[in-house]
Amino acid sequence: MIEISRLTKRYSTKVAVADVTFTAPPGAVTGLIGPNGSGKSTTIRALLGLTRPTHGTATVDGCQYGDLGPYPLRRVGALLDNAAPVPERRGVDHLRWIAQTNGISRRRVDEVLEQVDLTGAARSRVKQYSLGMKQRLGIAAALLGDPDVLVLDEPMNGLDPEGIRWIRELLRRRTAEGATVLVSSHFMTELESVAERVVVLARGQVRAEGTITEVAGGFESLEAAYFHHTTVSV
Amino acid sequence: MTAPTAPHRPNPGRAGPTRAALRAELTKALTLRSLWIGAGVILALNVYFAQMNVSLLADLAQTLEDGRFVAYDGTVASFETAVRDSILSSPYQSAALFVPLLIAVVCGQEYRTGQIRTTAAAVPNRWRLATVQIIVSVVLGVVVTILAFVMSDVVLLLALPAEGRDVVLSAAGMLVGAKVLTYSAVMSVVAGVLTTVLRSTMPALVAIVAVLVLALSGVLLPLSPLVHGLLPMIAAKTFLFGYAPDATDPSVAAGLVILLGWLTAGAATWFGALRYREIG
Ligand SMILES: Nc1ncnc2c1ncn2[C@@H]1O[C@H](COP(=O)(O)OP(=O)(O)OP(=O)(O)O)[C@@H](O)[C@H]1O
Ligand SMILES: [Mg+2]
């Protein structure tokens, strides 16, 4: 369970997130949507303990990220915005060091490489990867610790249709096993097909929250609801 | 993409979290191509400098009278001193400039593409993170300096006349080696903390070169000999060579204290920067 409670993050010149409250329950995919700059990544960074909230809390299973113990990747897997692998390193080495931080076996590195279909490119340097291959590598890193909580910031960016279908199936399977998944995305149709719940952010505030049916109810589609909630000032 | 494998419980491993983080930090450095290229360039330059010293010493050996010679400034110096200074000179240059540049490149990897976010999410305890980063920087700096020192000794041993070889292998020759390692450890921490505070390799490189230029040009000397003496390269000079080349230089003991001061302040700032500043 992910709980964001009255989260506010103020930077010197602007408020990125203002009094945001929502939960992402286990066994479901929760979509986090909103225009560019609406505070999705800031919320995720606060959840991962990278950004210090000005007010409020962001917890995983009732714990601040820093209190999850020395091996947090075994409980929370994250794909972060603005955290690319170093281009001159080989893909497999990127996963190796991340695995080592959390005492995860070398065998598991090969497993996740296989899962994201990067086994063949594992020994190439990341600078030779395409956009989608980099994205797959980031997803592989999130899966390393086989965590019950996944926090993915725009995981579908750059993926080909096959990759998108693969991640949809992955998320469905993990939530069926009871995992908690929080996914930010700009792909409304894709999200509609995979998420049970959705949180709409605009200008750092929650504009709508609930099941897809609740949020999109009365609209043609999630996309129509999105435009309604993010353009009409509340 | 392939079908999923069975849910996997990661092997907990027996290494404690700090050992795990240390291992990861070493892997991060050693899988960086620039580390190997940089270290290779440093060692090649080092052999080149040692080779130049050998020809200088060979010329010098021709002019010896009673094991002494007249230096360019008119003073009389012993051949032994000249050899000892040569043992030091190339590792000293490495430790003063090239090793810090290398450490700045290695530490700067965290900030090139935002890797620090992945690092901080994987190792949320910032004290642990700073500790392992400091250890790895020191180890890398010291290892490269040891290699530089050994290689330049080998060049000297191969090329020097017998009386020079004895100096290289003497206790005094070994002692300067230990000292230059201390110096490179200090400079590694200074370079690493600069990179960590500035969150970028380039400004850290500029800062390192600027401090070096301040030291070599001696512009601070007329303003305050004290401040000039606090620069790590100046403090190290006496400490390493065992005599004060300039009257205003700090004594050997003071030099060591100043270097240890830099080490402590650098490590403390490193901890502070990771612990109290937001990663973002
Ligand atoms: N370190 C920072 N300093 C100042 N402002 C920041 C900082 N980080 C984010 N912001 C601001 O906070 C706001 C929210 O940014 P955030 O990255 O969370 O948006 P987002 O919803 O993820 O957008 P996108 O869809 O483009 O990824 C933006 O206006 C951004 O400019
Ligand atoms: Mg974002």
Side-chain angles (χ1 to χ4, degrees):
Chain A
M1 166 101 98
I2 293 170
E3 284 181 279
I4 309 293
S5 174
R6 309 216 57 181
L7 182 71
T8 300
K9 178 63 191 180
R10 188 177 297 131
Y11 290 106
S12 50
T13 49
K14 71 174 299 168
V15 180
V17 169
D19 205 18
V20 162
T21 299
F22 69 85
T23 59
V29 174
T30 302
L32 188 57
I33 60 178
N36 295 139
S38 56
K40 303 180 295 295
S41 299
T42 304
T43 304
I44 287 172
R45 282 199 291 269
L47 184 61
L48 273 287
L50 302 173
T51 287
R52 241 172 256 140
T54 313
H55 296 295
T57 54
T59 58
V60 177
D61 297 334
C63 285
Q64 309 249 2
Y65 190 83
D67 298 330
L68 286 174
Y71 300 132
L73 301 190
R74 300 182 189 186
R75 298 185 62 185
V76 181
L79 174 69
L80 295 164
D81 181 33
N82 275 326
V86 169
E88 65 181 272
R89 186 174 282 128
R90 301 180 311 168
V92 62
D93 292 331
H94 177 68
L95 294 179
R96 259 180 61 215
W97 77 254
I98 298 176
Q100 285 171 351
T101 56
N102 277 245
I104 295 166
S105 70
R106 173 61 221 252
R107 194 167 57 89
R108 179 64 185 159
V109 169
D110 293 334
E111 262 177 44
V112 294
L113 278 167
E114 186 76 32
Q115 271 194 55
V116 300
D117 207 12
L118 278 180
T119 305
R123 309 198 140 258
S124 306
R125 294 185 194 278
V126 171
K127 70 171 143 217
Q128 294 163 354
Y129 282 21
S130 70
L131 178 63
M133 287 163 81
K134 278 183 220 151
Q135 196 71 348
R136 286 166 193 237
L137 188 64
I139 295 167
L143 297 177
L144 268 177
D146 193 21
D148 283 331
V149 176
L150 282 172
V151 182
L152 308 174
D153 201 349
E154 307 195 25
M156 289 122 180
N157 277 12
L159 290 186
D160 55 21
E162 196 193 348
I164 291 182
R165 188 172 67 187
W166 171 79
I167 199 160
R168 191 198 304 142
E169 281 162 10
L170 171 84
L171 298 186
R172 285 208 184 116
R173 193 174 61 247
R174 296 299 289 116
T175 49
E177 292 163 0
T180 306
V181 180
L182 179 65
V183 179
S184 87
S185 182
H186 293 298
F187 299 114
M188 292 304 124
T189 359
E190 198 41 58
L191 214 54
E192 207 168 359
S193 76
V194 72
E196 284 83 11
R197 302 177 57 82
V198 66
V199 178
V200 187
L201 287 184
R203 298 174 179 227
Q205 294 175 318
V206 176
R207 292 292 169 85
E209 187 207 350
T211 62
I212 295 264
T213 334
E214 285 164 0
V215 172
F219 298 94
E220 271 170 49
S221 62
L222 181 62
E223 188 185 60
Y226 169 91
F227 283 119
H228 172 80
H229 288 302
T230 55
T231 48
V232 176
S233 65
V234 179
Chain B
M1 303 204 177
T2 58
T5 54
H8 171 93
R9 275 289 129 211
N11 165 21
R14 269 195 275 147
T18 304
R19 269 181 57 194
L22 190 58
R23 218 176 127 209
E25 206 57 35
L26 261 179
T27 300
K28 237 191 255 183
L30 296 180
T31 56
L32 213 58
R33 198 187 226 176
S34 12
L35 173 77
W36 296 97
I37 296 173
V41 170
I42 292 176
L43 295 178
L45 280 174
N46 183 68
V47 168
Y48 174 71
F49 288 139
Q51 197 62 55
M52 293 205 330
N53 281 327
V54 164
S55 35
L56 284 178
L57 287 173
D59 292 348
L60 208 57
Q62 306 291 314
T63 65
L64 286 183
E65 277 173 35
D66 264 353
R68 309 179 80 75
F69 64 94
V70 180
Y72 64 92
D73 58 359
T75 57
V76 177
S78 72
F79 186 59
E80 186 187 332
T81 310
V83 174
R84 220 171 51 210
D85 289 357
S86 317
I87 300 174
L88 256 181
S89 68
S90 37
Y92 170 71
Q93 282 163 14
S94 299
L97 181 62
F98 301 125
V99 167
L101 298 186
L102 185 69
I103 298 301
V105 169
V106 171
C107 291
Q109 65 168 312
E110 293 289 351
Y111 305 96
R112 271 160 67 187
T113 57
Q115 178 183 274
I116 185 68
R117 294 188 181 86
T118 308
T119 300
V123 185
N125 183 328
R126 309 275 193 264
W127 298 110
R128 177 173 295 139
L129 180 57
T131 304
V132 300
Q133 286 191 341
I134 291 171
I135 292 174
V136 167
S137 301
V138 168
V139 167
L140 290 177
V142 165
V143 167
V144 173
T145 311
I146 288 178
L147 291 176
F149 185 73
V150 169
M151 287 169 74
S152 97
D153 265 10
V154 167
V155 171
L156 290 173
L157 282 176
L158 289 176
L160 280 183
E163 60 264 52
R165 280 202 292 271
D166 293 344
V167 180
V168 173
L169 294 174
S170 69
M174 294 298 147
L175 180 65
V176 293
K179 286 177 170 180
V180 84
L181 291 187
T182 310
Y183 179 48
S184 76
V186 173
M187 290 310 291
S188 300
V189 170
V190 169
V193 73
L194 274 171
T195 314
T196 304
V197 166
L198 298 170
R199 291 180 162 167
S200 179
T201 303
M202 243 347 188
L205 297 184
V206 171
I208 292 163
V209 173
V211 174
L212 192 66
V213 168
L214 271 186
L216 294 180
S217 65
V219 284
L220 288 176
L221 202 50
L223 302 174
S224 161
L226 180 67
V227 175
H228 179 70
L230 287 177
L231 293 171
M233 292 86 182
I234 302 302
K237 215 165 53 172
T238 323
F239 168 64
L240 290 172
F241 291 90
Y243 57 92
D246 296 304
T248 49
D249 288 343
S251 68
V252 174
L256 178 60
V257 170
I258 294 168
L259 287 183
L260 294 181
W262 278 95
L263 186 72
T264 315
T269 311
W270 201 320
F271 278 110
L274 284 186
R275 175 64 186 81
Y276 296 108
R277 216 168 43 162
E278 187 167 271
I279 305 275

